[in-house]
Amino acid sequence: MAFSAFNTRFINPTTNAELTTTTVPVRGEIQSISFSGFNVAEIDVTQFSNAAKTYLCGTLDGGTVEVVCFMATGANLQPTLPTTGASTPTDMKVIFGNEDAGKDGVTVAFSAFVQNTAMEAAVDGAVQVTYTLRISGAVTVAYLNRT
């Protein structure tokens, strides 16, 4: 059964406290979050005597997280722009679903840095900021089912 994206949010995985605009490198009012690029390297170990290709699993690449935000006003909500070599990974956990209400959901914990920031403005539209976070290290997925 599907569950609602309502109340999806960033959490500090150590303290389980909600990450604020001053503790996570994403500023603004989050509109969408998408993970992509999860993949495992494949190592070709095919020999001349094999009738078909043979592979071993290599290392896991956690990929990227794209976060689209409405740009908000206020001193703490200004967009962060990555500086080459200056960004360091931040531990984050995204909770999909309404964990507080005892509903089904999924948590994804990872460490990432801001790889790219893009801003967009259109006529009769809100200014949006899109952050691309590059995952560094392991990704932990946990399923919540309290019903």
Side-chain angles (χ1 to χ4, degrees), residues 116-134:
N116 186 46
T117 304
M119 290 182 251
E120 180 181 335
V123 174
D124 292 333
V127 177
Q128 291 182 324
V129 181
T130 301
Y131 298 96
T132 303
L133 307 177
R134 181 65 165 116

mmCIF file of all heavy atoms in Angstrom, residues 116-134:
data_model
loop_
_atom_site.group_PDB
_atom_site.id
_atom_site.type_symbol
_atom_site.label_atom_id
_atom_site.label_comp_id
_atom_site.label_asym_id
_atom_site.label_seq_id
_atom_site.Cartn_x
_atom_site.Cartn_y
_atom_site.Cartn_z
ATOM 1 N N ASN A 116 25.914 20.683 -6.562
ATOM 2 C CA ASN A 116 25.464 21.667 -7.529
ATOM 3 C C ASN A 116 24.257 22.423 -6.966
ATOM 4 O O ASN A 116 23.463 21.858 -6.222
ATOM 5 C CB ASN A 116 25.073 20.958 -8.828
ATOM 6 C CG ASN A 116 24.721 21.930 -9.934
ATOM 7 O OD1 ASN A 116 25.417 22.904 -10.173
ATOM 8 N ND2 ASN A 116 23.621 21.668 -10.608
ATOM 9 N N THR A 117 24.155 23.685 -7.324
ATOM 10 C CA THR A 117 22.999 24.497 -6.952
ATOM 11 C C THR A 117 22.535 25.240 -8.195
ATOM 12 O O THR A 117 23.350 25.829 -8.904
ATOM 13 C CB THR A 117 23.357 25.525 -5.859
ATOM 14 O OG1 THR A 117 23.908 24.847 -4.743
ATOM 15 C CG2 THR A 117 22.141 26.308 -5.410
ATOM 16 N N ALA A 118 21.233 25.189 -8.464
ATOM 17 C CA ALA A 118 20.669 25.910 -9.604
ATOM 18 C C ALA A 118 19.454 26.684 -9.129
ATOM 19 O O ALA A 118 18.702 26.212 -8.276
ATOM 20 C CB ALA A 118 20.272 24.931 -10.706
ATOM 21 N N MET A 119 19.281 27.891 -9.664
ATOM 22 C CA MET A 119 18.119 28.710 -9.318
ATOM 23 C C MET A 119 17.312 28.977 -10.578
ATOM 24 O O MET A 119 17.882 29.125 -11.659
ATOM 25 C CB MET A 119 18.559 30.022 -8.685
ATOM 26 C CG MET A 119 19.136 29.838 -7.306
ATOM 27 S SD MET A 119 19.581 31.397 -6.560
ATOM 28 C CE MET A 119 21.358 31.283 -6.604
ATOM 29 N N GLU A 120 15.991 29.033 -10.413
ATOM 30 C CA GLU A 120 15.113 29.233 -11.555
ATOM 31 C C GLU A 120 13.973 30.164 -11.168
ATOM 32 O O GLU A 120 13.383 30.025 -10.102
ATOM 33 C CB GLU A 120 14.544 27.892 -12.003
ATOM 34 C CG GLU A 120 13.624 27.975 -13.189
ATOM 35 C CD GLU A 120 13.078 26.616 -13.584
ATOM 36 O OE1 GLU A 120 13.719 25.596 -13.295
ATOM 37 O OE2 GLU A 120 11.989 26.580 -14.168
ATOM 38 N N ALA A 121 13.681 31.096 -12.069
ATOM 39 C CA ALA A 121 12.558 32.003 -11.874
ATOM 40 C C ALA A 121 11.771 32.064 -13.174
ATOM 41 O O ALA A 121 12.354 32.106 -14.252
ATOM 42 C CB ALA A 121 13.043 33.399 -11.499
ATOM 43 N N ALA A 122 10.455 32.016 -13.067
ATOM 44 C CA ALA A 122 9.588 32.094 -14.237
ATOM 45 C C ALA A 122 8.477 33.094 -13.963
ATOM 46 O O ALA A 122 8.127 33.355 -12.806
ATOM 47 C CB ALA A 122 8.997 30.723 -14.549
ATOM 48 N N VAL A 123 7.906 33.625 -15.022
ATOM 49 C CA VAL A 123 6.785 34.551 -14.887
ATOM 50 C C VAL A 123 5.645 33.847 -14.152
ATOM 51 O O VAL A 123 5.329 32.698 -14.440
ATOM 52 C CB VAL A 123 6.315 35.041 -16.277
ATOM 53 C CG1 VAL A 123 5.053 35.893 -16.155
ATOM 54 C CG2 VAL A 123 7.426 35.801 -16.968
ATOM 55 N N ASP A 124 5.046 34.540 -13.200
ATOM 56 C CA ASP A 124 3.946 33.995 -12.396
ATOM 57 C C ASP A 124 4.327 32.705 -11.670
ATOM 58 O O ASP A 124 3.503 31.816 -11.485
ATOM 59 C CB ASP A 124 2.692 33.747 -13.249
ATOM 60 C CG ASP A 124 2.067 35.041 -13.729
ATOM 61 O OD1 ASP A 124 2.233 36.070 -13.039
ATOM 62 O OD2 ASP A 124 1.421 35.024 -14.784
ATOM 63 N N GLY A 125 5.568 32.598 -11.252
ATOM 64 C CA GLY A 125 6.007 31.409 -10.522
ATOM 65 C C GLY A 125 6.890 31.788 -9.358
ATOM 66 O O GLY A 125 7.474 32.875 -9.321
ATOM 67 N N ALA A 126 6.982 30.903 -8.407
ATOM 68 C CA ALA A 126 7.864 31.118 -7.261
ATOM 69 C C ALA A 126 9.305 30.827 -7.680
ATOM 70 O O ALA A 126 9.562 29.986 -8.539
ATOM 71 C CB ALA A 126 7.470 30.186 -6.121
ATOM 72 N N VAL A 127 10.255 31.524 -7.084
ATOM 73 C CA VAL A 127 11.662 31.264 -7.357
ATOM 74 C C VAL A 127 12.014 29.929 -6.714
ATOM 75 O O VAL A 127 11.703 29.683 -5.544
ATOM 76 C CB VAL A 127 12.558 32.394 -6.808
ATOM 77 C CG1 VAL A 127 14.025 32.080 -7.027
ATOM 78 C CG2 VAL A 127 12.192 33.720 -7.451
ATOM 79 N N GLN A 128 12.642 29.063 -7.499
ATOM 80 C CA GLN A 128 13.017 27.744 -6.999
ATOM 81 C C GLN A 128 14.524 27.592 -6.981
ATOM 82 O O GLN A 128 15.228 28.148 -7.827
ATOM 83 C CB GLN A 128 12.433 26.644 -7.880
ATOM 84 C CG GLN A 128 10.941 26.509 -7.796
ATOM 85 C CD GLN A 128 10.439 25.358 -8.655
ATOM 86 O OE1 GLN A 128 10.950 25.091 -9.717
ATOM 87 N NE2 GLN A 128 9.419 24.685 -8.156
ATOM 88 N N VAL A 129 15.010 26.819 -6.015
ATOM 89 C CA VAL A 129 16.411 26.456 -5.923
ATOM 90 C C VAL A 129 16.462 24.932 -5.962
ATOM 91 O O VAL A 129 15.719 24.265 -5.232
ATOM 92 C CB VAL A 129 17.051 26.958 -4.608
ATOM 93 C CG1 VAL A 129 18.516 26.582 -4.544
ATOM 94 C CG2 VAL A 129 16.872 28.448 -4.458
ATOM 95 N N THR A 130 17.317 24.403 -6.822
ATOM 96 C CA THR A 130 17.494 22.949 -6.901
ATOM 97 C C THR A 130 18.899 22.619 -6.432
ATOM 98 O O THR A 130 19.880 23.131 -6.975
ATOM 99 C CB THR A 130 17.285 22.440 -8.338
ATOM 100 O OG1 THR A 130 15.973 22.795 -8.766
ATOM 101 C CG2 THR A 130 17.457 20.926 -8.406
ATOM 102 N N TYR A 131 18.982 21.797 -5.398
ATOM 103 C CA TYR A 131 20.263 21.352 -4.858
ATOM 104 C C TYR A 131 20.506 19.919 -5.304
ATOM 105 O O TYR A 131 19.611 19.076 -5.205
ATOM 106 C CB TYR A 131 20.259 21.370 -3.325
ATOM 107 C CG TYR A 131 20.055 22.733 -2.731
ATOM 108 C CD1 TYR A 131 18.796 23.155 -2.345
ATOM 109 C CD2 TYR A 131 21.123 23.598 -2.554
ATOM 110 C CE1 TYR A 131 18.595 24.413 -1.792
ATOM 111 C CE2 TYR A 131 20.931 24.856 -2.000
ATOM 112 C CZ TYR A 131 19.665 25.247 -1.625
ATOM 113 O OH TYR A 131 19.473 26.485 -1.084
ATOM 114 N N THR A 132 21.702 19.644 -5.776
ATOM 115 C CA THR A 132 22.109 18.271 -6.044
ATOM 116 C C THR A 132 23.110 17.898 -4.961
ATOM 117 O O THR A 132 24.172 18.521 -4.849
ATOM 118 C CB THR A 132 22.747 18.123 -7.437
ATOM 119 O OG1 THR A 132 21.816 18.577 -8.412
ATOM 120 C CG2 THR A 132 23.113 16.669 -7.712
ATOM 121 N N LEU A 133 22.743 16.937 -4.138
ATOM 122 C CA LEU A 133 23.604 16.459 -3.058
ATOM 123 C C LEU A 133 24.278 15.179 -3.517
ATOM 124 O O LEU A 133 23.613 14.248 -3.986
ATOM 125 C CB LEU A 133 22.786 16.180 -1.797
ATOM 126 C CG LEU A 133 21.895 17.317 -1.290
ATOM 127 C CD1 LEU A 133 21.098 16.851 -0.074
ATOM 128 C CD2 LEU A 133 22.730 18.533 -0.951
ATOM 129 N N ARG A 134 25.594 15.098 -3.392
ATOM 130 C CA ARG A 134 26.335 13.901 -3.776
ATOM 131 C C ARG A 134 26.523 13.049 -2.537
ATOM 132 O O ARG A 134 27.100 13.486 -1.535
ATOM 133 C CB ARG A 134 27.691 14.279 -4.368
ATOM 134 C CG ARG A 134 28.521 13.090 -4.809
ATOM 135 C CD ARG A 134 27.809 12.382 -5.957
ATOM 136 N NE ARG A 134 28.683 11.472 -6.643
ATOM 137 C CZ ARG A 134 28.479 10.155 -6.667
ATOM 138 N NH1 ARG A 134 27.461 9.617 -6.031
ATOM 139 N NH2 ARG A 134 29.294 9.389 -7.326
#
